[in-house]
């Protein structure tokens, strides 16, 4: 598809980028207007900049919360209420067991947790959904890689959603080998899923794929998340094993975005204040889903509950997305908790 350029400008009425109405391509590349990126260090108190979800779209959010318990004391719940997504994928929950009273089941009836068994207060993922999934799976089914609670896969009517917290290569790259082993297992896993349905691979993928994806590429060439090994490994995941490559949805839409694309600002050296960030959080989609991608938005304003900001995907609805009309019962939140509690903790321990 030949993409036409769109110029994205501020819309004072709804706070979201406004799209040139002359553009006719549904997945056109876009140009963000250059403007200062917020450098607040606490969460907003006014969320009026969040526009209503476009008609006939699902809103999906991915958010590394860097301890869900701590984030909940720093504005996470207020953000979640204001954002009001259909599905939110969370990483680095650091929960030792499901936090079943955090969010009402009336708001998110389907809540799934995968907690680390390798180490307490470490890693972990969770998904809250308003849409009933067909099935839920925990982990990759790979010995030695599922003990840290890093993946939850939800099958919906027309796609799979893989929520993932990719292992960090660590200080002095002590876990680089494990990270590359993980990527290889994930590449194989996504390929198997795509034999049945297209996939959305979402989460903190712990890689800045290109120099444009971090503020200081020249001084970080051997830093975790920007080594050539990790970047090449992510390229391999995008290429996949099919005829067409998977797509980094944000970068497809906004090929030239720099500072406004960053989703992570470390707590050290006033990184947020100096706008020294990394783009580590992604929505990667199978080619069949690209025409359904309406937009991907970095919530630059929403910093302070975590050292990451949320990333929002607007996905055009399709028949069968709501699994309530399909056969097969999803794993309940109670079953999820029981399954998580029963999971073996005999896999290899993480490096310190």
């Amino acid at each position: 598809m030949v993409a036409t350029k769109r110029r994205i400008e501020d819309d004072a009425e709804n706070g979201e980028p406004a799209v040139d109405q002359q553009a006719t391509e549904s997945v056109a590349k876009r140009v963000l207007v250059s403007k200062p990126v917020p450098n607040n260090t606490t969460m907003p108190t006014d969320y009026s900049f969040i526009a209503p979800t476009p008609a006939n779209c699902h809103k999906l959010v991915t958010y590394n919360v860097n301890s869900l318990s701590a984030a909940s004391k720093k504005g996470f719940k207020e953000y979640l209420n204001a954002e009001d997504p259909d599905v939110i994928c969370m990483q680095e929950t650091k929960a030792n067991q499901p936090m079943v009273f955090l969010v009402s089941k009336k708001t998110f009836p389907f809540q799934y947790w995968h907690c680390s068994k390798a180490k307490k207060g470490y890693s972990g993922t969770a998904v809250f959904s308003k849409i009933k999934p067909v099935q839920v799976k925990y982990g990759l089914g790979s010995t030695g890689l599922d003990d840290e609670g890093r993946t939850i896969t939800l099958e919906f009517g027309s796609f799979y959603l893989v929520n993932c917290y990719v292992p960090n290569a660590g200080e002095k790259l002590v876990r680089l080998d494990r990270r590359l082993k993980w990527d290889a297992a994930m590449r194989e896993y996504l390929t198997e899923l795509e034999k049945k349905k297209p996939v959305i691979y979402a989460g903190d993928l712990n890689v800045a794929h290109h120099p444009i994806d971090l503020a200081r590429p020249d001084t970080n060439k051997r830093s975790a998340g920007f080594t050539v090994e990790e970047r090449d490994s992510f390229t391999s995941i995008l290429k996949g094993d099919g005829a067409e490559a998977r797509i980094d949805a944000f970068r497809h839409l906004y090929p030239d975005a720099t500072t406004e694309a960053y989703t992570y600002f470390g707590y050290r050296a006033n990184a947020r204040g100096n706008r020294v960030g990394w783009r580590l959080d992604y929505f990667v989609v199978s080619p069949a889903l690209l025409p359904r991608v309406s937009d991907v938005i970095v919530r630059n304003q929403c910093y302070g509950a975590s050292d990451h900001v949320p990333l929002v995907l607007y996905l055009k609805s399709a028949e069968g997305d709501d699994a309530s009309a399909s056969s097969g019962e999803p794993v309940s939140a109670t079953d999820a908790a029981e399954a998580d509690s029963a999971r073996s903790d005999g896999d290899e321990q993480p490096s310190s």
Side-chain angles (χ1 to χ4, degrees):
M1 177 178 65
V2 178
T4 58
K5 289 259 185 178
R6 296 183 185 181
R7 184 164 184 81
I8 307 301
E9 300 179 339
D10 289 337
D11 186 332
E13 293 184 359
N14 62 24
E16 297 282 15
V19 177
D20 182 353
Q21 295 303 309
Q22 294 181 350
T24 59
E25 297 277 350
S26 61
V27 195
K29 297 187 187 297
R30 308 171 186 187
V31 179
L32 290 170
V33 170
S34 179
K35 63 178 182 178
V37 173
N39 61 354
N40 54 299
T41 56
T42 58
M43 292 293 276
T45 56
D46 179 1
Y47 286 95
S48 59
F49 56 85
I50 296 179
T53 300
N56 301 315
C57 281
H58 298 305
K59 180 193 282 190
L60 283 65
V61 171
T62 181
Y63 193 2
N64 178 318
V65 293
N66 190 20
S67 174
L68 187 53
S69 177
S72 296
K73 299 172 184 176
K74 296 186 288 185
F76 168 79
K77 289 191 284 188
E78 291 78 5
Y79 160 74
L80 185 60
N81 182 62
E83 188 72 76
D84 192 27
D86 295 298
V87 183
I88 180 168
C89 298
M90 292 163 283
Q91 305 87 40
E92 204 172 1
T93 61
K94 299 185 180 180
N96 296 323
Q97 59 186 7
M99 300 168 65
V100 295
F101 300 110
L102 181 70
V103 175
S104 171
K105 295 285 183 64
K106 293 181 180 179
T107 305
F108 291 100
F110 308 102
Q111 301 182 16
Y112 306 101
W113 303 81
H114 194 184
C115 303
S116 173
K117 296 300 179 182
K119 184 178 179 181
K120 289 186 176 181
Y122 180 75
S123 187
T125 48
V127 180
F128 297 167
S129 179
K130 296 178 181 178
I131 305 170
K132 180 180 179 182
V134 178
Q135 292 183 353
V136 179
K137 178 179 178 180
Y138 300 88
L140 300 178
S142 178
T143 302
L145 294 177
D146 287 340
D147 59 335
E148 296 178 352
R150 292 186 177 273
T151 59
I152 304 175
T153 301
L154 277 67
E155 178 186 357
F156 293 107
S158 65
F159 63 92
Y160 287 101
L161 174 63
V162 180
N163 175 28
C164 183
Y165 178 36
V166 171
N168 190 293
E171 194 78 19
K172 297 183 180 180
L173 306 179
V174 295
R175 300 188 81 195
L176 180 58
D177 287 347
R178 181 182 174 93
R179 160 61 185 268
L180 298 178
K181 182 180 178 182
W182 173 277
D183 282 353
M186 178 58 72
R187 184 167 60 249
E188 181 178 339
Y189 181 67
L190 296 176
T191 298
E192 287 301 309
L193 291 179
E194 286 176 329
K195 292 177 181 178
K196 303 174 183 177
K197 295 179 182 180
V199 173
I200 298 172
Y201 176 40
D204 177 358
L205 305 189
N206 253 323
V207 63
H209 192 204
H210 297 294
I212 195 174
D213 292 321
L214 72 165
R216 295 175 178 171
D218 291 341
T219 58
N220 281 288
K221 292 180 179 179
R222 294 308 294 168
S223 296
F226 194 60
T227 65
V228 65
E229 295 95 329
E230 292 166 287
R231 295 163 60 199
D232 286 350
S233 185
F234 185 61
T235 296
S236 294
I237 288 178
L238 293 181
K239 286 183 177 179
D241 298 321
E244 297 180 88
R246 301 178 184 110
I247 300 101
D248 171 355
F250 177 87
R251 188 54 78 196
H252 177 84
L253 293 175
Y254 302 103
D256 302 319
T258 53
T259 309
E260 61 272 28
Y262 301 156
T263 61
Y264 166 77
F265 300 86
Y267 291 135
R268 299 177 183 176
N270 192 29
R272 175 68 172 179
N274 293 324
R275 300 183 176 89
V276 178
W278 297 55
R279 188 173 77 97
L280 300 178
D281 303 86
Y282 295 76
F283 283 105
V284 173
V285 301
S286 299
L289 290 175
L290 184 59
R292 293 176 57 186
V293 173
S294 177
D295 205 354
V296 184
I297 297 173
V298 179
R299 289 285 186 228
N300 293 307
Q301 307 93 328
C302 299
Y303 184 89
S306 168
D307 50 2
H308 291 245
V309 298
L311 186 67
V312 179
L313 168 68
Y314 290 124
L315 183 74
K316 295 174 185 176
S317 304
E319 184 177 356
D321 282 345
D322 188 343
S324 61
S326 68
S327 61
E329 289 298 318
V331 177
S332 69
T334 301
D335 291 340
E338 291 175 351
D340 197 62
S341 297
R343 196 172 312 284
S344 169
D345 58 0
D347 293 333
E348 65 182 271
Q349 298 294 310
S351 302
S352 59

